[in-house]
Amino acid sequence: MKTDDKRGTPLPGAAPGAAPGADPDTPLLSVRGLRVRYRNAGRPFEAVAGLDLTVHAGETLGLVGESGCGKSTVARAVARIEDDVSGAIVFDGQDVTRARGRALKPYRRRVGMVFQDPIASLNPRRTVRDIIATPLTLAGKGDPAEVRARVGELAELVGLHPSMLERRPHEMSGGQCQRVSIARALACLPELLLCDEVVSALDVSIQAQVLNLLMDIRERQRLAMLFISHDLAVVRQLSDRVAVMYLGMLCEDAPVDELFGRPAHPYTRALLASVPGGAGPGAEPEPGSAGAGSGPAGVASADVAHRLLSGDLPSPLDPPSGCRFRTRCPLAQARCAAEVPQPVEVRPGHRVACHFPLVAA
Ligand SMILES: Nc1ncnc2c1ncn2[C@@H]1O[C@H](COP(=O)(O)OP(=O)(O)O)[C@@H](O)[C@H]1O
Ligand code: SF4
Ligand SMILES: [Mg+2]
């Protein structure tokens, strides 16, 4: 594993990138057979039930699926803030699934996370300056003057006026708080940013600004991202590849144009069909716009699918046998109840977990 020291503390605009000579085919993040268990009224269940994902250096993987399918759980497991996890989380060739204490520190510096609710994710009693400085201090980065200078650089990078550094979260807007969260996540120059519904709680007018900021920083720092959103238009705009989840499992993943242009899983088709005039096959996205990823009543698209598909999302406490989507799938056959479909590559880089994928000739 590269040490954090080698990365130093370059200016915010500097591009750390991958290690010189790093194999471009080796993923930065490789998640294998991930399972995450919770308890509901004392009864254990799997919110993520065997998921494989990869993210390469500098790449953005979009992760979509209906509310409750396990997207946030995946992000939290990768961030190593979930306890009951099995499978393997491999970062830059190192298995970090069971790393603890000091062994986890380098990983924590190299992976940042931005959460959905910007105000709740910031300590209300601390100033913005302290909040952004905390990861630097924890990482033992430099003397107070260096930390102060670095905090100033980060504030500038995310577009926060220096006067805001002395404020507390409740004295700022949601968009400003999200800029603080992003600055904090970037403080130690991560190579991977986990973004969980980072604009969902913001006003529509602010969403595009925050998305543009993220894209700008991503380019300048060659950041990889796991970008979780229920807004398919936003995912289409930001992602290089997209993975679709259903009830804790992967349905499909593919390069972004392939997934939106030739979806092969019945669930992905339903998701895309749920976007009126928006992110469906062949449609051009309207990046960051209010309407593109939204349903008729302004409800974001992955959750509109919930209404278009027959039946409710089954409970992860009692998932259907075989294919978890079979209780809502218009193409289900007997085999679907008996056998769990494994992801199979139907075209280069395009994997589908379905016994009867909708692959055009
Ligand atoms: N801390 C928790 N304890 C018990 N169940 C949880 C917890 N967090 C999430 N869940 C459940 O796990 C499932 C996946 O949740 P989540 O990852 O938040 O989904 P998503 O982010 O896709 O909306 C849901 O059924 C949710 O109710
Ligand atoms: S495996 Fe069967 S039930 Fe599942 S998505 Fe494919 S056709 Fe539908
Ligand atoms: Mg979530």
Side-chain angles (χ1 to χ4, degrees), residues 199-232:
V199 294
S200 308
L202 304 179
D203 287 347
V204 163
S205 58
I206 307 296
Q207 290 186 4
Q209 290 176 20
V210 172
L211 289 172
N212 286 336
L213 172 69
L214 275 176
M215 286 192 289
D216 181 43
I217 293 170
R218 176 180 68 178
E219 298 312 316
R220 291 168 67 181
Q221 307 211 357
R222 199 165 170 260
L223 265 177
M225 282 190 195
L226 178 62
F227 188 85
I228 295 172
S229 176
H230 59 242
D231 188 327
L232 296 173

Side-chain angles (χ1 to χ4, degrees), residues 18 59 117 128 142 149 170 172 186 196 208 253 270 300 318 336 355:
E59 179 185 57
D117 186 339
V128 168
H170 68 271
M172 305 176 83
L186 294 173
D196 187 3
D253 77 22
D318 192 16
C336 304
H355 296 307

Side-chain angles (χ1 to χ4, degrees), residues 11-207:
L11 291 170
D23 180 354
D25 292 332
T26 303
L28 180 64
L29 174 74
S30 172
V31 171
R32 293 279 160 259
L34 181 72
R35 291 178 185 274
V36 186
R37 283 161 294 268
Y38 292 127
R39 298 187 89 81
N40 182 297
R43 196 178 146 203
F45 71 97
E46 286 186 331
V48 178
L51 188 87
D52 292 355
L53 292 177
T54 55
V55 184
H56 287 82
E59 179 185 57
T60 296
L61 176 70
L63 184 59
V64 300
E66 276 163 281
S67 183
C69 72
K71 303 180 297 297
S72 296
T73 306
V74 171
R76 289 197 302 265
V78 172
R80 288 296 325 275
I81 50 179
E82 287 295 346
D83 292 328
D84 199 347
V85 170
S86 59
I89 300 165
V90 178
F91 186 78
D92 198 13
Q94 293 251 319
D95 189 334
V96 296
T97 326
R98 269 159 280 281
R100 302 245 173 262
R102 285 172 62 108
L104 205 51
K105 273 191 156 189
Y107 180 67
R108 294 227 184 276
R109 289 199 289 267
R110 296 177 70 187
V111 179
M113 182 156 182
V114 185
F115 299 90
Q116 173 168 0
D117 186 339
I119 296 174
S121 67
L122 302 176
N123 186 334
R125 288 183 294 276
R126 312 288 299 275
T127 63
V128 168
R129 180 184 297 289
D130 288 345
I131 290 169
I132 300 176
T134 299
L136 295 166
T137 316
L138 287 175
K141 285 269 168 204
D143 60 30
E146 281 177 36
V147 169
R148 202 178 167 79
R150 175 81 179 128
V151 170
E153 291 169 356
L154 285 159
E156 190 183 343
L157 176 70
V158 300
L160 284 174
H161 190 271
S163 63
M164 292 191 178
L165 289 172
E166 313 314 326
R167 292 194 189 173
R168 289 183 166 72
H170 68 271
E171 298 171 307
M172 305 176 83
S173 68
Q176 287 165 342
C177 285
Q178 201 58 306
R179 288 175 192 267
V180 175
S181 288
I182 293 169
R184 177 179 61 180
L186 294 173
C188 291
L189 282 170
E191 289 144 85
L192 174 65
L193 199 58
L194 308 171
C195 296
D196 187 3
E197 305 277 9
V198 288
V199 294
S200 308
L202 304 179
D203 287 347
V204 163
S205 58
I206 307 296
Q207 290 186 4

Side-chain angles (χ1 to χ4, degrees), residues 66 246 267 305-306 309-314 325-330:
E66 276 163 281
Y246 184 81
Y267 180 61
H306 175 75
L309 287 163
S310 60
D312 288 333
L313 185 70
F325 184 53
R326 73 176 167 80
T327 52
R328 300 165 83 193
C329 180

